[in-house]
Structure formats: structure tokens, C-alpha cells
Amino acid sequence: MTRHILLPLDGSTTAEAVIPYAVSLARATGASLLLLRIVTPGEISQSLFWKTTIPAELRREWTEEVLARTNMYLASVAERLRSMSLRVSFDVQLADDAAAAIIARAEHEPGVGLIAMTTHGYGGALRWAFGSVAAKVLHAAPTPLLVVRSNGGARPPVAEVAYRTICVPLDGSPLAEQALAEAQLIAACTGAALVLISVVAHADDGAIEAREYLERIADQLRARQIDARARVVEGAPAEQIIRTAEAEEADLIIMATHGRTGLHHLWLGSIATKVVHDSALPVLLVRAQDEVPYTNFL
């Protein structure tokens, strides 16, 4: 089955900032794009009494008008993407909760293997508060989620982006290693190099063990014809992940959404959130599953 990339849009240039990143992944991996537009009652009417005081006929007229405009918008985006030799479909859906509708679509649409969306900004007075929608999807997405910072409302400057270097933070846990499956797929399809990052509190605090651990994984990746190298850095995890990714001139960070360092300390859950919030780079998040063994990923 062809993998689909679910691309939620709200009609704004803010939301469209993710398109070049999704296009490049779709082209490299052979995936198709599914454009999804969730229309909420707030877009159709600003009235707080939408269901009780506005006549049903007027509500129906307003809804039909918004749906017609929305279909025209998605059709134009789809046509533009199809002109780039991509497989594209689109759908418009009425729902009270945009985030819940996106999550449900990802859960029930056959073949959806990735959600791609913008993390920050607003899509206009009557459109989604895209930051809050993305945050909700981030915490409940059943598939990997590619999140891209807003470009301030400007239209994307390029149609596609290149994936040459991908950073993968690891904390030594099988949970964190689950990001490697997606990283390997993208690296194999794009020829990107993988930079494996481990962050230690101090240079003498497990740095040797961390480097040996990363080198073992790098060796396994190289055996699969993937360029991989290890980086052990000292300091605060999120800050050092971002700094290392920038120093490596990375195009993408791929990491699990949770994991553990040692026995008790939550690591990648809070760290992933901070990296998404503070990094200018796109971040692809993989929700780790406790029951999936490490051997599935290398």
C-alpha cells in the first residue's frame, strides 16, 4: 500500500509553510499527499449562539458557501502539486474540533504514515489557531508527525527542500531508538547523512559509554549503506540538540516523543516539546511504543 502523508491546511499561508517539506518527503519516499481541510463552526459564523439563534436555513447557506470556497482552495493547491508529478487527493470535513478530526483521520484513513503541519501562527481571524491545533495533534498523533515553524505568513520561498543531513537524538533507551526507523527510511530514500546525538550532563559523565553506544548504532547503519556519524555533547539536552543540529547544518531533526535516561528521569517527552518550540528546523516526531522491541528498528 502506498504511504500517504496527511497534510492539514486551513487556507492560510501560515499553514502552507509545511508544503515544501512534505513535497520533498513524498517525492523521495513515493508517498502520496492527502490534503485535509477541517471546517469548524467558528469559521462559518462568529456568533456564540450558532446552534440556537441563527435560523437553520441561514446556517445551511453559510455552510455551503464556506464549503464551496474551501473545495476550490484545496483543488487549486492539489492542481499545483499534481503539476509537480505528485499523487494528490483532498477532502473537506466539517467538525467541531479540528485537532480531534485530524487525529481521527490519521487513525482511520488506510495508509496514512505521516502527518505534516505548521506549529505556530494564526491562519486568519476565522481560521484555526494553528499553534494550539498542532499542540493537540502533537500529544495524540498515532503516526509520526512532521512539524515546521511558521514563516511569518509569507508564502514558501521554494517548492521543495533538500534533506542532506538529519539529526537523530538518542538517550540510550529502546524507546528513543524507535526514531531510527523513520530516519533510516528517509536517509535511504534521500541519501541524507544521519548524525546521532547523545547529550551528557558533564564530559566525564558517561561520555565514553555514550560514544561507544552511538558508534555501535552508526556501524549498523553504515552496514546498510547509510552515512552515519556520532556526536556526544555536554550540557542541557534540548539546547545542545538544537545547537548541534545547527552546527551540522542539519535539514531535519527526527526524535521519539518520549524515552528514559536511567531508571526514573523523563527525557525525550519534555525535550522533544522544547526542541519543537525552540528550533527553527523542522522536527519529525515519532511516538514511541513500550511494547515494540529495539530489534525492529535496526
Side-chain angles (χ1 to χ4, degrees), residues 172-288:
S173 73
L175 292 176
E177 289 160 6
Q178 291 180 35
L180 289 167
E182 199 70 26
Q184 285 185 86
L185 170 64
I186 296 172
C189 292
T190 63
L194 296 184
V195 179
L196 311 178
I197 303 173
S198 185
V199 183
V200 296
H202 305 285
D204 59 350
D205 185 14
I208 295 176
E209 292 84 352
R211 178 162 294 281
E212 291 176 346
Y213 160 71
L214 292 184
E215 288 293 351
R216 285 197 302 271
I217 295 179
D219 285 342
Q220 295 177 63
L221 291 167
R222 294 180 196 120
R224 290 164 170 76
Q225 309 304 311
I226 294 174
D227 182 8
R229 54 187 183 270
R231 294 288 183 268
V232 178
V233 292
E234 174 187 353
E239 177 183 327
Q240 291 304 317
I241 289 168
I242 295 169
R243 182 173 297 177
T244 303
E246 291 173 348
E248 294 287 341
E249 297 184 342
D251 307 292
L252 177 66
I253 298 171
I254 301 180
M255 62 192 301
T257 55
H258 66 272
R260 293 189 181 278
T261 296
L263 295 177
H264 306 294
H265 302 291
L266 184 65
W267 195 71
L268 283 175
S270 59
I271 300 306
T273 301
K274 187 168 179 58
V275 169
V276 167
H277 184 270
D278 294 345
S279 177
L281 292 172
V283 182
L284 198 161
L285 297 165
V286 178
R287 183 169 299 282

Side-chain angles (χ1 to χ4, degrees), residues 12-276:
S12 70
T13 54
T14 294
E16 291 177 9
V18 74
I19 290 179
Y21 300 89
V23 164
S24 295
L25 286 180
R27 190 181 301 285
T29 63
S32 64
L33 295 172
L34 172 56
L35 313 181
L36 178 63
R37 179 74 163 85
I38 306 298
V39 176
T40 63
E43 284 190 67
I44 300 170
S45 171
Q46 296 185 65
S47 172
L48 297 176
F49 309 102
W50 164 254
K51 293 184 178 180
T52 58
T53 62
I54 298 177
E57 182 61 30
L58 185 56
R59 291 203 305 268
R60 185 162 50 250
E61 290 179 6
W62 287 355
T63 300
E64 290 174 354
E65 181 181 348
V66 170
L67 292 178
R69 289 199 308 266
T70 300
N71 271 286
M72 290 178 61
Y73 163 71
L74 285 186
S76 68
V77 176
E79 182 179 1
R80 172 160 50 96
L81 295 174
R82 288 172 185 147
S83 72
M84 302 166 64
S85 301
L86 295 166
R87 293 190 301 275
V88 185
S89 58
F90 64 88
D91 191 26
V92 179
Q93 182 177 335
L94 284 169
D96 291 331
D97 187 321
I102 292 167
I103 293 165
R105 191 60 177 266
E107 289 177 336
H108 302 299
E109 180 79 20
V112 170
L114 179 72
I115 303 172
M117 63 189 303
T118 309
T119 58
H120 295 76
Y122 287 81
L126 298 181
R127 299 191 180 103
W128 307 341
F130 228 91
S132 62
V133 172
K136 293 177 183 178
V137 174
L138 172 65
H139 286 95
T143 67
L145 173 66
L146 174 67
V147 287
V148 174
R149 290 286 295 270
S150 166
N151 56 5
R155 290 202 173 276
V158 293
E160 299 183 50
V161 298
Y163 292 107
R164 296 173 294 258
T165 303
I166 298 170
C167 287
V168 185
L170 299 170
D171 70 349
S173 73
L175 292 176
E177 289 160 6
Q178 291 180 35
L180 289 167
E182 199 70 26
Q184 285 185 86
L185 170 64
I186 296 172
C189 292
T190 63
L194 296 184
V195 179
L196 311 178
I197 303 173
S198 185
V199 183
V200 296
H202 305 285
D204 59 350
D205 185 14
I208 295 176
E209 292 84 352
R211 178 162 294 281
E212 291 176 346
Y213 160 71
L214 292 184
E215 288 293 351
R216 285 197 302 271
I217 295 179
D219 285 342
Q220 295 177 63
L221 291 167
R222 294 180 196 120
R224 290 164 170 76
Q225 309 304 311
I226 294 174
D227 182 8
R229 54 187 183 270
R231 294 288 183 268
V232 178
V233 292
E234 174 187 353
E239 177 183 327
Q240 291 304 317
I241 289 168
I242 295 169
R243 182 173 297 177
T244 303
E246 291 173 348
E248 294 287 341
E249 297 184 342
D251 307 292
L252 177 66
I253 298 171
I254 301 180
M255 62 192 301
T257 55
H258 66 272
R260 293 189 181 278
T261 296
L263 295 177
H264 306 294
H265 302 291
L266 184 65
W267 195 71
L268 283 175
S270 59
I271 300 306
T273 301
K274 187 168 179 58
V275 169
V276 167

